Amino acid sequence: MRVLLELIRVIFIFAIVGAMLGYFLKEMYIGIGTYTEKYNWLGSLAILILIFVLYRNKLQFSGWYKGKGKEKLPKKASRILIFSSMSLLLLPPVLSFLLN
């Protein structure tokens, strides 16, 4: 039962928080005056990577599941993923500016 509850929690985190952050990101892109419709998937991928790092380093230790194998991501891997995510967040406006 705990595994099922944790799975529902993970789906909720990725779906709800991801959708809210995606909406905020889209509004931010519109606010700075760039049309990024073709490149929005890059921002969505960046958000998923950030949520994944947050879950693996913090949220997995506060859930219902108490099984073995729960480890934080290595610091180097976390830094690489966060840097990649930030780069992906900045890429849609840059691509929109360069290619239009």
Side-chain angles (χ1 to χ4, degrees):
M1 186 64 173
R2 288 181 181 221
V3 174
L4 180 62
L5 287 173
E6 186 65 19
L7 182 61
I8 292 169
R9 179 175 172 254
V10 168
I11 291 170
F12 178 78
I13 290 170
F14 275 87
I16 302 299
V17 174
M20 289 186 330
L21 290 174
Y23 177 77
F24 173 73
L25 185 64
K26 182 179 176 184
E27 292 298 317
M28 190 174 70
Y29 288 154
I30 291 171
I32 62 174
T34 59
Y35 179 74
T36 62
E37 192 67 33
K38 291 190 290 189
Y39 311 112
N40 278 347
W41 66 273
L42 293 170
S44 299
L45 180 61
I47 289 169
L48 288 177
I49 292 171
L50 283 175
I51 293 173
F52 171 74
V53 171
L54 176 67
Y55 180 79
R56 284 294 309 265
N57 289 339
K58 179 75 175 163
L59 298 176
Q60 75 173 338
F61 301 108
S62 64
W64 288 287
Y65 182 67
K66 304 293 183 198
K68 296 178 183 177
K70 294 185 346 178
E71 295 181 14
K72 287 185 176 185
L73 290 173
K75 287 188 181 215
K76 188 173 183 178
S78 294
R79 288 182 184 141
I80 290 170
L81 287 171
I82 290 171
F83 177 77
S84 301
S85 180
M86 293 302 159
S87 299
L88 286 172
L89 286 173
L90 296 174
L91 202 54
V94 170
L95 287 175
S96 178
F97 176 73
L98 291 175
L99 299 176
N100 288 334

